[in-house]
Amino acid sequence: MLALLLGSLLLPAMPGRAADAAPSSPSAMTAQQAQQVLGVLNDPQKRAEFTRTLTAIANGLPQAAPATPAAAATPPAASDKSDVALEPDSVGSDVLDELSTMRNGIVRQARSFAALFADLAFVGHWFRTELSDPASRHALFDAFGQAGLVILLALAAERGLSIALRRPLSSITARAVEAERRLNQRAAQVQAEDSASVPPGASQAERTVEDTRRQDDRKQVETLRIIRRFPFSLLHLLTKLLPVALFLGVGYAGAAFFGDNDQAELVTLTLANAYAAARGMYLLVETVLVPKSPTIRLCRASDRTARIITRWWNVLVAMPSIVVCLSTLGGLFHLAPRGTEALIRALVLAEHLMIAVFIWRIRHQMAASLQPPARFQKSAFWLFLGRLAQLWWLPAMVFDLALWLVWATHTRGGYAWIWRTTVLTIIVIVVSRVLSLLLFGAQNRLFHINDDVEARYPGLRARADYYYPYARRSLSALLVFATAVILLQAWGIPALSFFLHGELGTRIIAAILSILIAFTVAIVVWEVANAALQNQVNRYETSEQVSRAIRLRTVLPIIRTVLLTVIVIIVAVTTLSQIGLNVAPLLTGAGIMGAAIAFGSQSLVKDFITGFFMLVENAMQVGDWVTAGGVSGTVEHLSIRTLRLRTTSGDVHIIPFSSVTSIANTSRDYNVVIVSFMLDLSENPDRVASILADVVAGMRTDDLFAPLILSDFTFLGVDNADGNGAKFVGSFRTTPGSKWRVSREYYRRLGLRMVAEGVKFPIPTSISMMTNFGATPLMIGQAEPAAPANTNTAPAPLQPDPSHD
C-alpha cells in the first residue's frame, strides 16, 4: 500500500518514468491521498517504513512489485460463479462488505497498538550494550550503588523517627477521641430535648417542622464534627511528614558527598525526590481517610473502605515516581529518547491497568456511596440513577484506558474527544431514560382498561394484560436500539448515516418496521376476529338462542385454527421476504405438496368438509339420539372428522362423516307417538276414540308424565276396514327423546282400559277341512265362538324401546 502511494505521488514528478505511468494516473494529489500521507507521518512505524522506502528509491534499489490483486488473477468463469452465488445488491453481500471493513479496521488498530511497544526491543538492546561495555557497566553500578546506599540510610532514619513518633500520634488520637465523645454527648442531649419538646398529641404539621429542625441539627453537628476533626488531622499529617522530611534531608546530605561524581549525585537526588513526592501524595490521602484512627477521619467511609483505598493508593503513587526517575535518568546513561518513551508508555499502561483493578475492587463501595437519599428512592428517575450508579465502574475503566491510549498514541484532540464523548454519553443515557419513562407511562395508560370499558367489552382487560409484557419488551428493544445508534454517533461512528442513508442500514430498518407492522396487524386481526366470535356467542346465549350458541361454540375451534394458520403463514412469508429470502420457491413447493396431499387423501378431506358443514348446520349435538350411517344411538362425541354413537346394546360406533348421507335426529323439537291397531268392525269408532283420548288426558294429569306430553290425543280416523277388522289411527306429541317412555306407559294404561270397557278385537278367519267319515262339513268364513272380552290383551307397542329411556 505504501509503495503504491509513493508511486502515485512520485511518478508524475519523474521525467524518466512518466512514459511508463498509466494514462489514467492522477497528476495531482487528491484529498484521500493527502489524508493517507498524513496518517503515515503521524504513525511512527509507518513513518519509519516511509523513510526506508525513500532511502531505497534514492539509492536506486529495485522495489518489489505489488502483489497482483486476487480479483485480476481470477478467471472469468470463477468471477461469474461468484457473482451468481452472491448477488451484489443482496443483504448477504452488504453484510460481508461491512464485516470486511470492520475486520480491516480492527486489524489496523491492533497493529497500531502493537507498534507502541516496538521500541521496547531497543531498550533491551541498550541494556545489553551497557552491560557488555566495562566502562559503562562500572559507571552504572557505581552510580546506583552509591545512591542506593544513601537511600537505604535515609529509609532507616525515616523508619526510626516514625517509631519514635508513635506516642505523639497516639496522644493526638486520644485527644480526638475525647473531643468526639463530648460532641456525641452534646448531640444526644440536643436530640433528647427535641424529642421532649414535641407533645404526644402534636399535629402532623408540628411533627414535620420538628423533623426539619432535627435534620438541621444533625447537619450542624456533622459540620461541627468535621471542623473539630480538622486540627487533629492537620497535626496528624505534620507529624507523619516529619519522617519524610528527615528522609529528604538525609538524601540531600548524602548527595552532597558525591561532589566528584555527578551521576551518583543526580541519581540520589532523583530517587530521593521521587520517593518523597510519592510519600507525600500518599500521606495526603491517608490524612483524609486515616484507617487506624476513625475519630480524625475527614470523610464518611467505613474502616474497610479506608484500608482498601489507602493500601491501593500506596501502590498507585509508586508508578509516577518511577516514571519521573526514568524521564530524568534515561538521558544520563545514554538511553535514546524513543527507548525512554517506550519504558514510560509501558509503565503508564501498567499504572492504568492497576487503576482499572482498583476501580473493580471498590466498585461496590462507590456504588453504595453514589446512591440517592432515601427520600428520593421512590421516584422512578432517581431509582434509575441509583441503578445506573451501580455500573459506574464500567465507564470508569473505559475512561481510564482511553486516557492512556490517547496519551500513548499522541492523538490530536483525543482528550477533548474523550470528555465530549463522556458528556454526550451521560446526556444520551439520561435523555433515553427520561424518554423511556414517558413512553412506558403512555404504554401503561394505553393498556390500562378501566371498569367501564371492561363492562362494555368483557375479557378485554385479560387480553391486554396478556399482550402487555410482549409490548413492553418490544418497546424496550426499540429504545435500546435507538440509544445504541445515538451512542455510536456520539462516539464518532457514523451510525445514523449508516441506518438513514446506507443501503444495508435502510434495508435493515425497513425489514424491522415491516416485521413489526406485520406482527401488529396479525395480532389485531386475530383479537378482533376472536372478539367478534365471542360476542356473537354471548349474544346468542343472552337471546335464548342456545342451540345456535352451542353450534357456534362447536365450530369455534375450527374457525380459530384456520384463521391462525392463515395469519401465521402470511406473517412467516412476510418475515422471510423481509430478511432477504426468496419465498417464491417455498410457496411453489408448499402448493405442490398441498395439492399432492389433498389428492392422496380425498376421503380425509371429505370427512373434514362434511363434518364442518354438519357442525355448522347444527345437524346434531352431543346427547342426541340419531340414526346415521344405518346405526341408531346416542351421540357421545363430535369432531371435525368423525361421529361417535353408542347403541342400546352398549356398542360404540365411530362413523366418519364421509359415509353419512343422511341423519335422523330424534332429539329435536318434539316427538310424535303414532297409535295404530286393529279393532272389530262392530266397535263404535267414536267410543274407541274417546277411550284413547281419555287415557292421554289422564296421563297429562300425572305429575310424572305431564311435562313429557305436549298435546292431547288426536284421532286421525279409520285408516282401513276389511274382513280383518278396522284400523284405527291417532297420535299425540311428546318432548324430544321421550316418546318411547310415554308410549310404553300409554299402551299399558290403554290395555287396561280397553279390557275394562270390553273393546272387541277382530278374530282371524279359520278354515277346517275334514277328511274323516261324515264329519262336520267344510266351513269357510266361520269362526269359533269368541272368547270373553276380558281375556283379550292389548297389542304390543309398535315403537322401538331404547334403553336410554
PDB file of all heavy atoms in Angstrom, residues 186-212:
ATOM      1  N   ARG A 186     -23.182  15.949  73.554  1.00  0.00           N
ATOM      2  CA  ARG A 186     -23.965  17.162  73.277  1.00  0.00           C
ATOM      3  C   ARG A 186     -25.055  16.876  72.241  1.00  0.00           C
ATOM      4  O   ARG A 186     -26.202  17.340  72.383  1.00  0.00           O
ATOM      5  CB  ARG A 186     -23.038  18.256  72.771  1.00  0.00           C
ATOM      6  CG  ARG A 186     -23.774  19.550  72.422  1.00  0.00           C
ATOM      7  CD  ARG A 186     -22.803  20.567  71.885  1.00  0.00           C
ATOM      8  NE  ARG A 186     -23.525  21.765  71.431  1.00  0.00           N
ATOM      9  CZ  ARG A 186     -22.962  22.803  70.830  1.00  0.00           C
ATOM     10  NH1 ARG A 186     -21.628  22.799  70.633  1.00  0.00           N
ATOM     11  NH2 ARG A 186     -23.675  23.825  70.440  1.00  0.00           N
ATOM     12  N   ALA A 187     -24.701  16.087  71.180  1.00  0.00           N
ATOM     13  CA  ALA A 187     -25.698  15.762  70.168  1.00  0.00           C
ATOM     14  C   ALA A 187     -26.826  14.934  70.748  1.00  0.00           C
ATOM     15  O   ALA A 187     -28.008  15.142  70.432  1.00  0.00           O
ATOM     16  CB  ALA A 187     -25.028  15.015  69.017  1.00  0.00           C
ATOM     17  N   ALA A 188     -26.513  13.999  71.645  1.00  0.00           N
ATOM     18  CA  ALA A 188     -27.552  13.188  72.278  1.00  0.00           C
ATOM     19  C   ALA A 188     -28.446  14.039  73.164  1.00  0.00           C
ATOM     20  O   ALA A 188     -29.674  13.848  73.215  1.00  0.00           O
ATOM     21  CB  ALA A 188     -26.908  12.067  73.082  1.00  0.00           C
ATOM     22  N   GLN A 189     -27.840  15.000  73.863  1.00  0.00           N
ATOM     23  CA  GLN A 189     -28.633  15.874  74.722  1.00  0.00           C
ATOM     24  C   GLN A 189     -29.577  16.737  73.899  1.00  0.00           C
ATOM     25  O   GLN A 189     -30.754  16.910  74.246  1.00  0.00           O
ATOM     26  CB  GLN A 189     -27.697  16.753  75.555  1.00  0.00           C
ATOM     27  CG  GLN A 189     -28.431  17.670  76.541  1.00  0.00           C
ATOM     28  CD  GLN A 189     -27.467  18.495  77.374  1.00  0.00           C
ATOM     29  OE1 GLN A 189     -26.240  18.393  77.214  1.00  0.00           O
ATOM     30  NE2 GLN A 189     -28.009  19.323  78.244  1.00  0.00           N
ATOM     31  N   VAL A 190     -29.065  17.269  72.768  1.00  0.00           N
ATOM     32  CA  VAL A 190     -29.928  18.090  71.911  1.00  0.00           C
ATOM     33  C   VAL A 190     -31.066  17.259  71.334  1.00  0.00           C
ATOM     34  O   VAL A 190     -32.219  17.706  71.259  1.00  0.00           O
ATOM     35  CB  VAL A 190     -29.075  18.722  70.789  1.00  0.00           C
ATOM     36  CG1 VAL A 190     -29.978  19.404  69.766  1.00  0.00           C
ATOM     37  CG2 VAL A 190     -28.100  19.719  71.379  1.00  0.00           C
ATOM     38  N   GLN A 191     -30.775  16.033  70.955  1.00  0.00           N
ATOM     39  CA  GLN A 191     -31.819  15.173  70.412  1.00  0.00           C
ATOM     40  C   GLN A 191     -32.872  14.836  71.451  1.00  0.00           C
ATOM     41  O   GLN A 191     -34.067  14.791  71.153  1.00  0.00           O
ATOM     42  CB  GLN A 191     -31.182  13.893  69.865  1.00  0.00           C
ATOM     43  CG  GLN A 191     -32.179  12.964  69.170  1.00  0.00           C
ATOM     44  CD  GLN A 191     -31.487  11.745  68.587  1.00  0.00           C
ATOM     45  OE1 GLN A 191     -30.274  11.587  68.739  1.00  0.00           O
ATOM     46  NE2 GLN A 191     -32.256  10.896  67.931  1.00  0.00           N
ATOM     47  N   ALA A 192     -32.456  14.599  72.683  1.00  0.00           N
ATOM     48  CA  ALA A 192     -33.416  14.324  73.751  1.00  0.00           C
ATOM     49  C   ALA A 192     -34.297  15.538  74.015  1.00  0.00           C
ATOM     50  O   ALA A 192     -35.514  15.405  74.233  1.00  0.00           O
ATOM     51  CB  ALA A 192     -32.663  13.912  75.017  1.00  0.00           C
ATOM     52  N   GLU A 193     -33.699  16.723  73.991  1.00  0.00           N
ATOM     53  CA  GLU A 193     -34.507  17.933  74.195  1.00  0.00           C
ATOM     54  C   GLU A 193     -35.503  18.138  73.067  1.00  0.00           C
ATOM     55  O   GLU A 193     -36.646  18.534  73.296  1.00  0.00           O
ATOM     56  CB  GLU A 193     -33.574  19.142  74.311  1.00  0.00           C
ATOM     57  CG  GLU A 193     -32.711  19.130  75.577  1.00  0.00           C
ATOM     58  CD  GLU A 193     -31.738  20.291  75.595  1.00  0.00           C
ATOM     59  OE1 GLU A 193     -31.718  21.043  74.596  1.00  0.00           O
ATOM     60  OE2 GLU A 193     -31.012  20.446  76.601  1.00  0.00           O
ATOM     61  N   ASP A 194     -35.077  17.847  71.845  1.00  0.00           N
ATOM     62  CA  ASP A 194     -36.003  17.992  70.716  1.00  0.00           C
ATOM     63  C   ASP A 194     -37.152  16.999  70.808  1.00  0.00           C
ATOM     64  O   ASP A 194     -38.304  17.316  70.493  1.00  0.00           O
ATOM     65  CB  ASP A 194     -35.254  17.803  69.399  1.00  0.00           C
ATOM     66  CG  ASP A 194     -34.243  18.916  69.139  1.00  0.00           C
ATOM     67  OD1 ASP A 194     -34.403  19.987  69.752  1.00  0.00           O
ATOM     68  OD2 ASP A 194     -33.298  18.698  68.355  1.00  0.00           O
ATOM     69  N   SER A 195     -36.858  15.774  71.237  1.00  0.00           N
ATOM     70  CA  SER A 195     -37.911  14.776  71.368  1.00  0.00           C
ATOM     71  C   SER A 195     -38.894  15.147  72.456  1.00  0.00           C
ATOM     72  O   SER A 195     -40.108  14.934  72.342  1.00  0.00           O
ATOM     73  CB  SER A 195     -37.299  13.404  71.670  1.00  0.00           C
ATOM     74  OG  SER A 195     -36.423  13.025  70.622  1.00  0.00           O
ATOM     75  N   ALA A 196     -38.381  15.722  73.556  1.00  0.00           N
ATOM     76  CA  ALA A 196     -39.260  16.114  74.654  1.00  0.00           C
ATOM     77  C   ALA A 196     -40.089  17.349  74.319  1.00  0.00           C
ATOM     78  O   ALA A 196     -41.150  17.569  74.917  1.00  0.00           O
ATOM     79  CB  ALA A 196     -38.423  16.380  75.911  1.00  0.00           C
ATOM     80  N   SER A 197     -39.609  18.152  73.363  1.00  0.00           N
ATOM     81  CA  SER A 197     -40.350  19.377  73.031  1.00  0.00           C
ATOM     82  C   SER A 197     -41.601  19.094  72.219  1.00  0.00           C
ATOM     83  O   SER A 197     -42.441  19.973  72.071  1.00  0.00           O
ATOM     84  CB  SER A 197     -39.432  20.338  72.252  1.00  0.00           C
ATOM     85  OG  SER A 197     -39.023  19.729  71.034  1.00  0.00           O
ATOM     86  N   VAL A 198     -41.743  17.908  71.657  1.00  0.00           N
ATOM     87  CA  VAL A 198     -42.920  17.570  70.854  1.00  0.00           C
ATOM     88  C   VAL A 198     -43.919  16.843  71.743  1.00  0.00           C
ATOM     89  O   VAL A 198     -43.641  15.750  72.236  1.00  0.00           O
ATOM     90  CB  VAL A 198     -42.520  16.684  69.661  1.00  0.00           C
ATOM     91  CG1 VAL A 198     -43.758  16.360  68.830  1.00  0.00           C
ATOM     92  CG2 VAL A 198     -41.468  17.375  68.819  1.00  0.00           C
ATOM     93  N   PRO A 199     -45.085  17.407  71.985  1.00  0.00           N
ATOM     94  CA  PRO A 199     -46.078  16.727  72.827  1.00  0.00           C
ATOM     95  C   PRO A 199     -46.651  15.512  72.104  1.00  0.00           C
ATOM     96  O   PRO A 199     -46.602  15.416  70.871  1.00  0.00           O
ATOM     97  CB  PRO A 199     -47.146  17.805  73.029  1.00  0.00           C
ATOM     98  CG  PRO A 199     -46.999  18.721  71.862  1.00  0.00           C
ATOM     99  CD  PRO A 199     -45.542  18.734  71.529  1.00  0.00           C
ATOM    100  N   PRO A 200     -47.198  14.557  72.849  1.00  0.00           N
ATOM    101  CA  PRO A 200     -47.743  13.340  72.217  1.00  0.00           C
ATOM    102  C   PRO A 200     -48.880  13.632  71.260  1.00  0.00           C
ATOM    103  O   PRO A 200     -49.033  12.948  70.252  1.00  0.00           O
ATOM    104  CB  PRO A 200     -48.207  12.500  73.409  1.00  0.00           C
ATOM    105  CG  PRO A 200     -47.400  13.008  74.575  1.00  0.00           C
ATOM    106  CD  PRO A 200     -47.208  14.470  74.329  1.00  0.00           C
ATOM    107  N   GLY A 201     -49.693  14.629  71.510  1.00  0.00           N
ATOM    108  CA  GLY A 201     -50.835  14.918  70.639  1.00  0.00           C
ATOM    109  C   GLY A 201     -50.562  15.976  69.599  1.00  0.00           C
ATOM    110  O   GLY A 201     -51.498  16.667  69.164  1.00  0.00           O
ATOM    111  N   ALA A 202     -49.319  16.149  69.198  1.00  0.00           N
ATOM    112  CA  ALA A 202     -48.971  17.173  68.222  1.00  0.00           C
ATOM    113  C   ALA A 202     -49.534  16.815  66.851  1.00  0.00           C
ATOM    114  O   ALA A 202     -49.698  15.645  66.509  1.00  0.00           O
ATOM    115  CB  ALA A 202     -47.455  17.340  68.143  1.00  0.00           C
ATOM    116  N   SER A 203     -49.816  17.845  66.084  1.00  0.00           N
ATOM    117  CA  SER A 203     -50.350  17.629  64.742  1.00  0.00           C
ATOM    118  C   SER A 203     -49.243  17.212  63.783  1.00  0.00           C
ATOM    119  O   SER A 203     -48.053  17.261  64.101  1.00  0.00           O
ATOM    120  CB  SER A 203     -51.027  18.915  64.242  1.00  0.00           C
ATOM    121  OG  SER A 203     -50.066  19.965  64.168  1.00  0.00           O
ATOM    122  N   GLN A 204     -49.690  16.839  62.578  1.00  0.00           N
ATOM    123  CA  GLN A 204     -48.720  16.398  61.579  1.00  0.00           C
ATOM    124  C   GLN A 204     -47.818  17.551  61.144  1.00  0.00           C
ATOM    125  O   GLN A 204     -46.627  17.352  60.887  1.00  0.00           O
ATOM    126  CB  GLN A 204     -49.480  15.829  60.367  1.00  0.00           C
ATOM    127  CG  GLN A 204     -48.571  15.255  59.290  1.00  0.00           C
ATOM    128  CD  GLN A 204     -47.787  14.049  59.775  1.00  0.00           C
ATOM    129  OE1 GLN A 204     -48.251  13.316  60.635  1.00  0.00           O
ATOM    130  NE2 GLN A 204     -46.599  13.859  59.229  1.00  0.00           N
ATOM    131  N   ALA A 205     -48.359  18.747  61.028  1.00  0.00           N
ATOM    132  CA  ALA A 205     -47.550  19.901  60.631  1.00  0.00           C
ATOM    133  C   ALA A 205     -46.469  20.190  61.672  1.00  0.00           C
ATOM    134  O   ALA A 205     -45.313  20.480  61.335  1.00  0.00           O
ATOM    135  CB  ALA A 205     -48.444  21.126  60.441  1.00  0.00           C
ATOM    136  N   GLU A 206     -46.839  20.112  62.963  1.00  0.00           N
ATOM    137  CA  GLU A 206     -45.849  20.346  64.005  1.00  0.00           C
ATOM    138  C   GLU A 206     -44.753  19.284  63.987  1.00  0.00           C
ATOM    139  O   GLU A 206     -43.569  19.593  64.173  1.00  0.00           O
ATOM    140  CB  GLU A 206     -46.544  20.367  65.369  1.00  0.00           C
ATOM    141  CG  GLU A 206     -47.506  21.545  65.543  1.00  0.00           C
ATOM    142  CD  GLU A 206     -48.223  21.481  66.871  1.00  0.00           C
ATOM    143  OE1 GLU A 206     -48.086  20.435  67.557  1.00  0.00           O
ATOM    144  OE2 GLU A 206     -48.928  22.440  67.228  1.00  0.00           O
ATOM    145  N   ARG A 207     -45.145  18.023  63.728  1.00  0.00           N
ATOM    146  CA  ARG A 207     -44.129  16.967  63.647  1.00  0.00           C
ATOM    147  C   ARG A 207     -43.208  17.172  62.439  1.00  0.00           C
ATOM    148  O   ARG A 207     -42.011  16.908  62.506  1.00  0.00           O
ATOM    149  CB  ARG A 207     -44.815  15.605  63.553  1.00  0.00           C
ATOM    150  CG  ARG A 207     -45.579  15.221  64.812  1.00  0.00           C
ATOM    151  CD  ARG A 207     -46.175  13.821  64.690  1.00  0.00           C
ATOM    152  NE  ARG A 207     -46.923  13.451  65.880  1.00  0.00           N
ATOM    153  CZ  ARG A 207     -46.373  12.917  66.967  1.00  0.00           C
ATOM    154  NH1 ARG A 207     -45.074  12.683  67.001  1.00  0.00           N
ATOM    155  NH2 ARG A 207     -47.111  12.616  68.025  1.00  0.00           N
ATOM    156  N   THR A 208     -43.779  17.653  61.323  1.00  0.00           N
ATOM    157  CA  THR A 208     -42.951  17.909  60.144  1.00  0.00           C
ATOM    158  C   THR A 208     -41.939  19.012  60.412  1.00  0.00           C
ATOM    159  O   THR A 208     -40.754  18.910  60.047  1.00  0.00           O
ATOM    160  CB  THR A 208     -43.844  18.288  58.959  1.00  0.00           C
ATOM    161  OG1 THR A 208     -44.788  17.238  58.726  1.00  0.00           O
ATOM    162  CG2 THR A 208     -43.017  18.510  57.700  1.00  0.00           C
ATOM    163  N   VAL A 209     -42.397  20.070  61.057  1.00  0.00           N
ATOM    164  CA  VAL A 209     -41.477  21.168  61.402  1.00  0.00           C
ATOM    165  C   VAL A 209     -40.390  20.678  62.344  1.00  0.00           C
ATOM    166  O   VAL A 209     -39.201  21.017  62.210  1.00  0.00           O
ATOM    167  CB  VAL A 209     -42.275  22.341  62.015  1.00  0.00           C
ATOM    168  CG1 VAL A 209     -41.329  23.397  62.564  1.00  0.00           C
ATOM    169  CG2 VAL A 209     -43.206  22.939  60.975  1.00  0.00           C
ATOM    170  N   GLU A 210     -40.778  19.840  63.296  1.00  0.00           N
ATOM    171  CA  GLU A 210     -39.797  19.335  64.253  1.00  0.00           C
ATOM    172  C   GLU A 210     -38.793  18.398  63.571  1.00  0.00           C
ATOM    173  O   GLU A 210     -37.592  18.427  63.883  1.00  0.00           O
ATOM    174  CB  GLU A 210     -40.523  18.606  65.385  1.00  0.00           C
ATOM    175  CG  GLU A 210     -39.627  18.266  66.569  1.00  0.00           C
ATOM    176  CD  GLU A 210     -39.008  19.509  67.198  1.00  0.00           C
ATOM    177  OE1 GLU A 210     -39.665  20.566  67.194  1.00  0.00           O
ATOM    178  OE2 GLU A 210     -37.859  19.403  67.673  1.00  0.00           O
ATOM    179  N   ASP A 211     -39.264  17.591  62.627  1.00  0.00           N
ATOM    180  CA  ASP A 211     -38.340  16.735  61.891  1.00  0.00           C
ATOM    181  C   ASP A 211     -37.344  17.557  61.081  1.00  0.00           C
ATOM    182  O   ASP A 211     -36.149  17.215  60.987  1.00  0.00           O
ATOM    183  CB  ASP A 211     -39.119  15.809  60.955  1.00  0.00           C
ATOM    184  CG  ASP A 211     -39.917  14.761  61.720  1.00  0.00           C
ATOM    185  OD1 ASP A 211     -39.576  14.502  62.891  1.00  0.00           O
ATOM    186  OD2 ASP A 211     -40.893  14.222  61.151  1.00  0.00           O
ATOM    187  N   THR A 212     -37.827  18.651  60.486  1.00  0.00           N
ATOM    188  CA  THR A 212     -36.915  19.524  59.738  1.00  0.00           C
ATOM    189  C   THR A 212     -35.859  20.135  60.661  1.00  0.00           C
ATOM    190  O   THR A 212     -34.678  20.224  60.308  1.00  0.00           O
ATOM    191  CB  THR A 212     -37.717  20.630  59.042  1.00  0.00           C
ATOM    192  OG1 THR A 212     -38.738  20.037  58.228  1.00  0.00           O
ATOM    193  CG2 THR A 212     -36.816  21.491  58.170  1.00  0.00           C
TER     194      THR A 212
END
